[in-house]
Coordinates of all heavy atoms in Angstrom, one line a residue:
M1 N -5.7 -15.0 -6.2 CA -4.3 -14.3 -6.4 C -4.0 -13.5 -5.2 O -5.0 -12.8 -4.5 CB -4.4 -13.4 -7.7 CG -3.1 -12.6 -7.9 SD -3.2 -11.3 -9.3 CE -4.5 -11.7 -10.2
R2 N -2.8 -13.5 -4.9 CA -2.2 -12.7 -3.6 C -1.5 -11.5 -4.2 O -0.6 -11.7 -5.1 CB -1.5 -13.6 -2.6 CG -2.4 -14.5 -2.0 CD -1.6 -15.3 -0.8 NE -0.9 -14.5 -0.1 CZ -1.2 -13.7 1.0 NH1 -2.5 -13.7 1.3 NH2 -0.5 -13.1 1.8
L3 N -1.6 -10.4 -3.5 CA -0.8 -9.2 -4.0 C 0.0 -8.6 -2.8 O -0.5 -8.7 -1.6 CB -1.7 -8.1 -4.5 CG -2.5 -8.4 -5.7 CD1 -3.4 -7.3 -6.1 CD2 -1.6 -8.9 -6.9
R4 N 1.1 -8.0 -3.0 CA 1.9 -7.1 -2.0 C 2.0 -5.7 -2.6 O 2.3 -5.5 -3.8 CB 3.3 -7.7 -1.8 CG 4.1 -6.8 -0.9 CD 5.5 -7.2 -0.8 NE 5.7 -8.5 -0.3 CZ 6.3 -9.5 -0.9 NH1 6.9 -9.3 -2.0 NH2 6.4 -10.7 -0.3
V5 N 1.6 -4.7 -1.8 CA 1.6 -3.4 -2.1 C 2.7 -2.6 -1.3 O 2.8 -3.0 0.0 CB 0.3 -2.6 -2.0 CG1 -0.3 -2.6 -0.7 CG2 0.5 -1.2 -2.5
E6 N 3.6 -2.0 -1.9 CA 4.6 -1.2 -1.2 C 4.3 0.3 -1.5 O 4.1 0.6 -2.6 CB 6.0 -1.6 -1.5 CG 6.3 -3.0 -1.3 CD 7.7 -3.4 -1.9 OE1 8.6 -2.6 -1.7 OE2 7.8 -4.4 -2.6
F7 N 4.3 1.1 -0.4 CA 4.0 2.6 -0.8 C 4.6 3.5 0.2 O 4.9 3.1 1.3 CB 2.4 2.7 -0.7 CG 1.7 2.6 0.7 CD1 1.6 3.7 1.5 CD2 1.4 1.4 1.1 CE1 1.0 3.6 2.8 CE2 0.8 1.3 2.4 CZ 0.7 2.3 3.2
T8 N 4.6 4.8 -0.3 CA 5.2 5.9 0.5 C 4.3 7.1 0.1 O 3.8 7.1 -1.1 CB 6.6 6.2 0.4 OG1 6.9 6.6 -1.1 CG2 7.6 5.1 0.7
T9 N 4.2 8.0 1.0 CA 3.4 9.2 0.7 C 4.4 10.4 0.9 O 5.4 10.3 1.8 CB 2.2 9.5 1.6 OG1 2.6 9.5 3.0 CG2 1.1 8.2 1.4
E10 N 4.3 11.5 0.2 CA 5.0 12.6 0.5 C 4.2 14.0 0.4 O 3.0 13.9 0.0 CB 6.0 12.9 -0.9 CG 7.0 11.7 -1.0 CD 7.8 11.8 -2.2 OE1 8.2 12.9 -2.5 OE2 8.1 10.7 -2.9
P11 N 4.6 15.0 1.1 CA 5.9 15.3 1.5 C 6.3 14.5 2.9 O 5.5 14.3 3.7 CB 6.0 16.8 1.7 CG 4.7 17.2 2.0 CD 3.8 16.1 1.2
F12 N 7.7 14.2 2.9 CA 8.2 13.6 4.2 C 8.3 14.7 5.3 O 8.6 15.9 5.0 CB 9.6 13.1 3.9 CG 9.5 12.0 3.0 CD1 10.2 12.0 1.7 CD2 9.0 10.8 3.3 CE1 10.1 10.9 0.8 CE2 9.0 9.6 2.5 CZ 9.6 9.7 1.2
D13 N 8.1 14.3 6.5 CA 8.5 15.1 7.6 C 9.1 14.1 8.7 O 8.5 13.2 9.1 CB 7.1 15.6 8.2 CG 7.5 16.6 9.4 OD1 8.6 16.5 10.0 OD2 6.6 17.3 9.8
L14 N 10.4 14.4 8.9 CA 11.2 13.5 9.7 C 10.8 13.7 11.3 O 11.2 12.8 12.1 CB 12.7 13.6 9.5 CG 13.1 13.2 8.1 CD1 14.7 13.3 7.9 CD2 12.8 11.8 7.8
D15 N 10.2 14.8 11.6 CA 9.9 15.1 13.1 C 8.7 14.3 13.5 O 8.7 13.8 14.6 CB 9.9 16.6 13.2 CG 11.2 17.2 13.1 OD1 12.2 16.6 13.3 OD2 11.2 18.5 12.6
E16 N 7.7 14.3 12.6 CA 6.4 13.6 13.0 C 5.7 13.2 11.7 O 5.9 13.9 10.7 CB 5.5 14.5 13.8 CG 5.0 15.8 13.2 CD 4.1 16.5 14.2 OE1 4.7 17.3 14.9 OE2 2.9 16.4 14.0
A17 N 4.9 12.2 11.8 CA 4.2 11.7 10.7 C 3.2 12.7 10.2 O 2.3 13.2 11.1 CB 3.6 10.5 10.9
P18 N 3.2 13.2 9.0 CA 2.2 14.1 8.4 C 0.8 13.5 8.3 O 0.8 12.3 8.3 CB 2.7 14.5 7.2 CG 3.7 13.5 6.7 CD 4.2 12.9 8.0
P19 N -0.4 14.2 8.3 CA -1.6 13.7 8.3 C -1.8 12.6 7.3 O -2.4 11.6 7.4 CB -2.5 14.9 8.1 CG -1.7 16.0 8.7 CD -0.3 15.7 8.4
H20 N -1.3 12.9 6.0 CA -1.5 11.9 4.9 C -0.9 10.6 5.1 O -1.4 9.6 4.7 CB -1.0 12.6 3.6 CG 0.4 13.0 3.5 ND1 1.4 12.1 3.3 CD2 1.0 14.1 3.7 CE1 2.6 12.8 3.4 NE2 2.4 14.1 3.7
A21 N 0.3 10.6 5.8 CA 1.0 9.4 6.2 C 0.1 8.6 7.2 O 0.0 7.3 7.2 CB 2.3 9.6 6.6
V22 N -0.3 9.3 8.1 CA -1.2 8.7 9.2 C -2.4 8.0 8.6 O -2.8 6.9 8.8 CB -1.5 9.7 10.3 CG1 -2.5 9.0 11.3 CG2 -0.3 10.2 11.0
V23 N -3.1 8.8 7.7 CA -4.3 8.3 7.1 C -4.0 7.0 6.3 O -4.6 6.0 6.3 CB -4.9 9.4 6.2 CG1 -5.9 8.8 5.3 CG2 -5.6 10.5 7.1
A24 N -2.8 7.1 5.4 CA -2.6 5.9 4.6 C -2.3 4.7 5.5 O -2.8 3.5 5.2 CB -1.3 6.3 3.7
R25 N -1.6 4.8 6.5 CA -1.3 3.8 7.4 C -2.6 3.2 8.1 O -2.7 2.0 8.2 CB -0.3 4.1 8.4 CG 1.2 4.4 8.0 CD 2.0 4.9 9.0 NE 3.3 5.2 8.4 CZ 4.2 6.0 9.0 NH1 4.0 6.4 10.2 NH2 5.4 6.2 8.5
E26 N -3.4 4.1 8.5 CA -4.7 3.7 9.1 C -5.5 2.8 8.1 O -6.2 1.9 8.5 CB -5.5 4.9 9.7 CG -4.9 5.5 10.9 CD -5.6 6.7 11.3 OE1 -6.3 7.2 10.6 OE2 -5.2 7.3 12.4
V27 N -5.5 3.2 6.8 CA -6.2 2.6 5.9 C -5.8 1.1 5.7 O -6.6 0.2 5.8 CB -6.2 3.2 4.5 CG1 -6.7 2.3 3.4 CG2 -7.0 4.5 4.5
V28 N -4.5 0.9 5.7 CA -4.0 -0.4 5.4 C -4.0 -1.3 6.7 O -4.4 -2.5 6.7 CB -2.5 -0.6 4.8 CG1 -2.5 0.1 3.4 CG2 -1.5 0.2 5.7
Q29 N -3.9 -0.5 7.8 CA -4.0 -1.3 9.1 C -5.4 -1.8 9.4 O -5.7 -2.8 10.0 CB -3.4 -0.5 10.2 CG -2.0 -0.4 10.2 CD -1.4 0.5 11.3 OE1 -1.9 1.6 11.6 NE2 -0.2 0.3 11.8
G30 N -6.4 -1.0 8.9 CA -7.8 -1.3 9.2 C -8.4 -2.2 8.1 O -9.5 -2.7 8.3
A31 N -7.7 -2.4 7.0 CA -8.2 -3.3 5.9 C -8.0 -4.7 6.4 O -7.2 -5.1 7.3 CB -7.4 -3.0 4.6
D32 N -8.8 -5.7 5.7 CA -8.8 -7.1 6.1 C -7.6 -7.8 5.4 O -7.9 -8.5 4.3 CB -10.1 -7.6 5.8 CG -10.1 -9.1 6.3 OD1 -9.3 -9.6 7.1 OD2 -11.2 -9.8 5.7
L33 N -6.4 -7.4 5.7 CA -5.2 -7.8 4.9 C -4.4 -8.8 5.9 O -4.6 -8.8 7.2 CB -4.2 -6.7 4.5 CG -5.0 -5.7 3.6 CD1 -4.1 -4.5 3.3 CD2 -5.4 -6.3 2.2
D34 N -3.6 -9.6 5.2 CA -2.9 -10.7 6.0 C -1.6 -10.1 6.7 O -1.3 -10.7 7.7 CB -2.5 -11.8 5.1 CG -3.7 -12.6 4.5 OD1 -4.7 -12.5 5.1 OD2 -3.6 -13.0 3.3
A35 N -0.9 -9.2 6.1 CA 0.3 -8.7 6.7 C 0.5 -7.3 6.3 O 0.2 -6.9 5.3 CB 1.6 -9.5 6.1
V36 N 0.7 -6.5 7.4 CA 0.9 -5.1 7.2 C 2.2 -4.7 7.9 O 2.3 -5.1 9.2 CB -0.2 -4.3 7.7 CG1 0.0 -2.8 7.8 CG2 -1.6 -4.7 6.9
D37 N 3.0 -4.0 7.3 CA 4.3 -3.4 8.0 C 4.4 -2.0 7.7 O 4.5 -1.7 6.5 CB 5.5 -4.3 7.5 CG 6.8 -3.8 8.1 OD1 6.7 -3.4 9.4 OD2 7.8 -3.9 7.6
V38 N 4.3 -1.1 8.7 CA 4.5 0.3 8.4 C 5.8 0.8 9.0 O 6.3 0.2 10.1 CB 3.3 1.0 9.1 CG1 2.0 0.6 8.4 CG2 3.2 0.9 10.6
G39 N 6.3 1.7 8.4 CA 7.6 2.2 8.9 C 7.8 3.7 8.5 O 7.0 4.2 7.6
P40 N 8.8 4.4 8.8 CA 9.1 5.7 8.6 C 9.3 6.0 7.0 O 9.0 7.2 6.5 CB 10.1 6.2 9.5 CG 10.9 5.0 9.7 CD 9.9 3.9 9.7
F41 N 9.8 5.1 6.3 CA 10.3 5.4 5.0 C 9.5 4.4 4.0 O 9.9 4.6 2.7 CB 11.8 5.2 4.9 CG 12.6 6.2 5.7 CD1 13.2 5.7 6.8 CD2 12.6 7.5 5.5 CE1 13.9 6.6 7.7 CE2 13.2 8.4 6.2 CZ 13.9 7.9 7.3
G42 N 8.5 3.7 4.4 CA 7.9 2.8 3.4 C 7.0 1.9 4.2 O 7.2 1.5 5.5
N43 N 6.0 1.4 3.5 CA 5.0 0.6 4.1 C 4.7 -0.6 3.1 O 4.6 -0.4 2.0 CB 3.7 1.3 4.4 CG 4.0 2.7 5.1 OD1 4.2 2.6 6.4 ND2 4.0 3.7 4.4
T44 N 4.3 -1.8 3.8 CA 3.9 -2.8 2.9 C 2.7 -3.5 3.5 O 2.4 -3.5 4.6 CB 5.0 -4.0 2.7 OG1 5.3 -4.4 4.0 CG2 6.3 -3.3 2.1
A45 N 1.9 -4.1 2.6 CA 0.7 -4.9 3.0 C 0.6 -5.9 1.9 O 0.8 -5.9 0.8 CB -0.5 -4.1 3.0
E46 N 0.1 -7.1 2.5 CA -0.3 -8.3 1.6 C -1.6 -8.8 1.9 O -2.1 -8.7 2.9 CB 0.7 -9.4 2.0 CG 2.2 -9.1 1.6 CD 3.2 -10.2 1.8 OE1 2.7 -11.4 2.1 OE2 4.4 -9.9 1.8
G47 N -2.2 -9.4 0.8 CA -3.4 -10.3 1.0 C -4.0 -10.5 -0.3 O -3.4 -10.4 -1.3
E48 N -5.2 -11.0 -0.2 CA -6.1 -11.3 -1.4 C -6.3 -10.2 -2.3 O -6.4 -9.0 -1.8 CB -7.4 -11.9 -0.9 CG -8.3 -12.4 -2.0 CD -9.2 -11.4 -2.6 OE1 -9.6 -10.4 -2.0 OE2 -9.4 -11.5 -3.8
A49 N -6.1 -10.4 -3.6 CA -6.1 -9.2 -4.6 C -7.2 -8.3 -4.4 O -6.9 -7.1 -4.3 CB -6.1 -9.9 -6.0
G50 N -8.4 -8.7 -4.3 CA -9.5 -7.8 -4.1 C -9.4 -6.9 -2.9 O -9.7 -5.7 -3.0
R51 N -9.0 -7.4 -1.9 CA -8.8 -6.8 -0.6 C -7.7 -5.7 -0.8 O -7.8 -4.5 -0.2 CB -8.6 -7.6 0.5 CG -9.9 -8.4 0.9 CD -9.6 -9.3 2.0 NE -10.8 -10.0 2.3 CZ -10.9 -11.3 2.9 NH1 -9.7 -11.8 3.4 NH2 -11.9 -11.9 3.2
V52 N -6.6 -6.1 -1.3 CA -5.4 -5.2 -1.5 C -5.9 -4.0 -2.5 O -5.6 -2.9 -2.1 CB -4.2 -5.9 -2.1 CG1 -3.2 -4.9 -2.5 CG2 -3.7 -6.9 -1.0
L53 N -6.5 -4.3 -3.5 CA -6.9 -3.3 -4.5 C -7.9 -2.3 -3.8 O -8.0 -1.1 -4.1 CB -7.4 -3.9 -5.8 CG -6.4 -4.7 -6.6 CD1 -7.1 -5.4 -7.7 CD2 -5.3 -3.9 -7.0
T54 N -8.8 -2.8 -3.1 CA -9.8 -2.0 -2.3 C -9.1 -1.1 -1.4 O -9.4 0.2 -1.2 CB -10.9 -2.8 -1.5 OG1 -11.6 -3.5 -2.5 CG2 -11.7 -1.9 -0.8
A55 N -8.1 -1.6 -0.7 CA -7.3 -0.8 0.3 C -6.4 0.3 -0.5 O -6.2 1.4 -0.1 CB -6.3 -1.7 1.1
V56 N -5.9 -0.1 -1.7 CA -5.1 0.8 -2.4 C -6.0 2.0 -2.9 O -5.6 3.2 -2.9 CB -4.4 0.1 -3.7 CG1 -3.9 1.1 -4.7 CG2 -3.2 -0.7 -3.1
D57 N -7.2 1.7 -3.4 CA -8.1 2.7 -3.8 C -8.4 3.7 -2.6 O -8.3 4.9 -2.7 CB -9.4 2.1 -4.3 CG -10.5 3.2 -4.7 OD1 -10.2 3.9 -5.6 OD2 -11.5 3.2 -4.0
A58 N -8.7 3.1 -1.4 CA -9.0 4.0 -0.2 C -7.7 4.8 0.1 O -7.8 6.0 0.5 CB -9.5 3.2 0.9
L59 N -6.6 4.1 0.1 CA -5.3 4.8 0.5 C -5.0 5.9 -0.4 O -4.6 7.1 0.1 CB -4.3 3.7 0.3 CG -2.7 4.1 0.5 CD1 -2.0 2.9 1.2 CD2 -2.1 4.6 -0.7
L60 N -5.2 5.8 -1.7 CA -4.9 7.0 -2.7 C -5.9 8.1 -2.4 O -5.5 9.2 -2.3 CB -5.0 6.5 -4.1 CG -4.0 5.6 -4.5 CD1 -4.3 4.9 -6.0 CD2 -2.6 6.1 -4.6
R61 N -7.2 7.8 -2.3 CA -8.2 8.7 -2.2 C -8.0 9.6 -0.8 O -8.0 10.8 -0.8 CB -9.5 8.3 -2.2 CG -9.9 7.8 -3.7 CD -11.3 7.0 -3.5 NE -11.6 6.3 -4.8 CZ -12.1 6.9 -5.9 NH1 -12.4 8.2 -5.9 NH2 -12.4 6.3 -7.0
Q62 N -7.7 8.8 0.3 CA -7.8 9.5 1.5 C -6.4 10.2 1.7 O -6.4 11.3 2.4 CB -7.9 8.4 2.6 CG -9.5 8.0 2.6 CD -9.8 7.0 3.7 OE1 -9.2 7.0 4.7 NE2 -10.7 6.0 3.3
A63 N -5.3 9.7 1.3 CA -4.0 10.2 1.5 C -3.9 11.6 0.7 O -3.4 12.7 1.2 CB -2.9 9.3 1.0
L64 N -4.5 11.5 -0.5 CA -4.5 12.8 -1.3 C -5.5 13.9 -0.7 O -5.1 15.0 -0.7 CB -4.9 12.5 -2.7 CG -3.9 11.6 -3.6 CD1 -4.6 11.3 -4.8 CD2 -2.6 12.5 -3.8
E65 N -6.5 13.4 -0.2 CA -7.5 14.4 0.6 C -6.8 14.9 1.8 O -7.1 16.0 2.2 CB -8.7 13.6 0.9 CG -9.7 13.4 -0.4 CD -10.8 12.5 0.0 OE1 -11.1 12.2 1.1 OE2 -11.6 12.2 -1.0
A66 N -5.9 14.2 2.5 CA -5.2 14.7 3.6 C -4.0 15.4 3.4 O -3.2 15.7 4.3 CB -4.9 13.4 4.5
G67 N -3.7 15.7 2.1 CA -2.5 16.6 1.8 C -1.4 15.9 1.1 O -0.4 16.7 0.8
A68 N -1.4 14.7 0.8 CA -0.2 14.1 0.1 C -0.2 14.8 -1.3 O -1.2 15.0 -1.9 CB -0.4 12.6 -0.1
T69 N 1.1 15.1 -1.6 CA 1.4 15.7 -2.9 C 2.0 14.6 -3.9 O 2.0 14.8 -5.1 CB 2.4 16.8 -2.8 OG1 3.6 16.3 -2.3 CG2 1.8 17.9 -2.1
R70 N 2.3 13.4 -3.4 CA 2.7 12.4 -4.2 C 2.6 11.1 -3.4 O 2.8 11.0 -2.2 CB 4.3 12.5 -4.5 CG 4.9 11.4 -5.4 CD 6.2 11.7 -5.6 NE 6.9 10.6 -6.4 CZ 7.9 10.8 -7.2 NH1 8.5 12.0 -7.3 NH2 8.3 9.8 -7.9
V71 N 2.1 10.1 -4.1 CA 2.0 8.7 -3.5 C 2.7 7.8 -4.5 O 2.3 7.6 -5.6 CB 0.5 8.2 -3.3 CG1 0.5 6.9 -2.8 CG2 -0.2 9.3 -2.4
S72 N 3.8 7.1 -3.9 CA 4.5 6.2 -4.8 C 4.0 4.7 -4.3 O 4.2 4.5 -3.1 CB 6.0 6.3 -4.6 OG 6.3 7.7 -4.9
L73 N 3.7 3.9 -5.3 CA 3.4 2.6 -4.8 C 3.8 1.5 -6.0 O 3.9 1.9 -7.1 CB 1.9 2.5 -4.5 CG 0.8 2.6 -5.6 CD1 0.4 1.3 -6.3 CD2 -0.4 3.3 -4.9
Q74 N 3.9 0.4 -5.5 CA 4.2 -0.8 -6.4 C 3.4 -1.9 -5.9 O 3.3 -2.2 -4.7 CB 5.7 -1.1 -6.2 CG 6.2 -2.2 -7.0 CD 7.6 -2.5 -7.0 OE1 8.4 -1.6 -7.4 NE2 8.1 -3.6 -6.4
V75 N 2.8 -2.6 -6.9 CA 2.0 -3.8 -6.5 C 2.6 -5.0 -7.3 O 2.9 -4.8 -8.5 CB 0.5 -3.6 -7.1 CG1 -0.3 -4.8 -6.7 CG2 -0.1 -2.2 -6.3
N76 N 2.8 -6.0 -6.5 CA 3.4 -7.3 -7.1 C 2.5 -8.5 -6.8 O 1.9 -8.5 -5.7 CB 4.7 -7.6 -6.4 CG 5.7 -6.6 -6.8 OD1 6.1 -6.4 -7.9 ND2 6.2 -5.8 -5.7
V77 N 2.4 -9.4 -7.8 CA 1.8 -10.7 -7.6 C 2.7 -11.6 -6.8 O 3.8 -11.5 -7.1 CB 1.4 -11.3 -8.9 CG1 0.8 -12.7 -8.7 CG2 0.3 -10.5 -9.7
I78 N 2.2 -12.0 -5.6 CA 3.2 -12.8 -4.8 C 2.9 -14.4 -4.8 O 3.6 -15.0 -4.0 CB 3.3 -12.3 -3.4 CG1 2.0 -12.2 -2.6 CG2 4.0 -10.9 -3.5 CD1 2.2 -11.8 -1.2
D79 N 1.9 -14.8 -5.4 CA 1.6 -16.3 -5.3 C 2.0 -17.0 -6.5 O 1.5 -18.2 -6.6 CB 0.1 -16.5 -4.9 CG -0.8 -16.2 -6.1 OD1 -0.4 -15.5 -7.1 OD2 -2.1 -16.4 -5.9
G80 N 2.6 -16.4 -7.5 CA 3.0 -17.2 -8.7 C 2.0 -17.3 -9.7 O 2.3 -18.0 -10.7
K81 N 0.9 -16.8 -9.6 CA -0.2 -16.9 -10.6 C -0.5 -15.5 -11.2 O -0.4 -14.5 -10.4 CB -1.5 -17.4 -10.0 CG -1.3 -18.9 -9.3 CD -2.7 -19.3 -8.8 CE -2.5 -20.8 -8.3 NZ -3.7 -21.1 -7.6
N82 N -0.7 -15.5 -12.5 CA -1.1 -14.1 -13.1 C -2.6 -14.0 -13.1 O -3.3 -15.0 -12.7 CB -0.4 -14.0 -14.4 CG -1.0 -15.0 -15.4 OD1 -2.0 -15.6 -15.3 ND2 -0.2 -15.2 -16.5
V83 N -3.2 -13.0 -13.6 CA -4.5 -12.8 -13.6 C -5.4 -13.9 -14.4 O -6.5 -14.3 -14.0 CB -4.9 -11.4 -14.3 CG1 -6.3 -11.1 -14.4 CG2 -4.2 -10.4 -13.4
A84 N -4.8 -14.4 -15.4 CA -5.4 -15.4 -16.2 C -5.4 -16.8 -15.5 O -5.8 -17.8 -16.0 CB -4.8 -15.6 -17.6
G85 N -4.5 -16.9 -14.4 CA -4.5 -18.1 -13.8 C -3.4 -19.0 -14.1 O -3.3 -20.1 -13.8
G86 N -2.4 -18.4 -15.0 CA -1.3 -19.3 -15.4 C -0.1 -19.1 -14.5 O -0.3 -18.6 -13.3
E87 N 1.0 -19.5 -14.9 CA 2.2 -19.3 -14.1 C 2.8 -17.9 -14.0 O 2.6 -17.2 -15.0 CB 3.3 -20.3 -14.6 CG 3.0 -21.8 -14.5 CD 4.0 -22.7 -15.0 OE1 5.1 -22.2 -15.2 OE2 3.7 -23.8 -15.1
G88 N 3.4 -17.6 -12.9 CA 3.9 -16.3 -12.8 C 5.3 -16.2 -13.4 O 5.6 -16.7 -14.5
D89 N 6.2 -15.3 -12.7 CA 7.5 -15.1 -13.3 C 8.3 -16.4 -13.8 O 8.2 -17.4 -13.0 CB 8.4 -14.5 -12.2 CG 7.8 -13.1 -11.9 OD1 7.1 -12.4 -12.8 OD2 8.1 -12.6 -10.8
R90 N 8.9 -16.3 -14.8 CA 9.6 -17.6 -15.3 C 11.1 -17.3 -15.4 O 11.5 -16.3 -15.7 CB 9.0 -18.0 -16.7 CG 7.6 -18.4 -16.6 CD 7.1 -18.8 -18.1 NE 5.7 -18.9 -17.8 CZ 5.1 -19.6 -18.7 NH1 5.5 -20.4 -19.6 NH2 3.7 -19.8 -18.6

């Protein structure tokens, strides 16, 4: 199964990236994922489910430790298969 995670960390700082945002980006950029896109208002990463979930775990732990007061994320299955191996969205 392949997953896509989209995430943001708060509080925002428009002048420079706060430590929690830098840490979160470093986690996904350093993970063994297929596609990573980081930006000022949101970030996405895609890859094999186990790798994405491992990265999400590290991202949450490290961003919170670095001062994030909120982490918003969404995880989507992107290969059309659900956990049981059946068909995805119909």
Side-chain angles (χ1 to χ4, degrees):
M1 175 185 343
R2 289 183 50 78
L3 301 176
R4 175 185 299 124
V5 61
E6 301 173 45
F7 67 92
T8 58
T9 62
E10 296 179 38
F12 294 114
D13 183 339
L14 297 178
D15 294 327
E16 64 181 84
H20 57 80
V22 173
V23 166
R25 291 175 185 168
E26 288 174 349
V27 167
V28 294
Q29 289 173 326
D32 187 18
L33 302 175
D34 300 331
V36 175
D37 182 27
V38 297
F41 300 108
N43 309 284
T44 60
E46 296 179 10
E48 184 273 326
R51 292 179 181 157
V52 170
L53 295 173
T54 297
V56 166
D57 177 63
L59 176 147
L60 290 171
R61 292 175 189 276
Q62 293 180 34
L64 293 169
E65 289 172 5
T69 57
R70 179 178 181 156
V71 179
S72 300
L73 65 90
Q74 178 173 303
V75 178
N76 293 299
V77 175
I78 59 173
D79 70 353
K81 295 179 183 176
N82 64 23
V83 175
E87 294 180 11
D89 296 335
R90 295 178 191 210

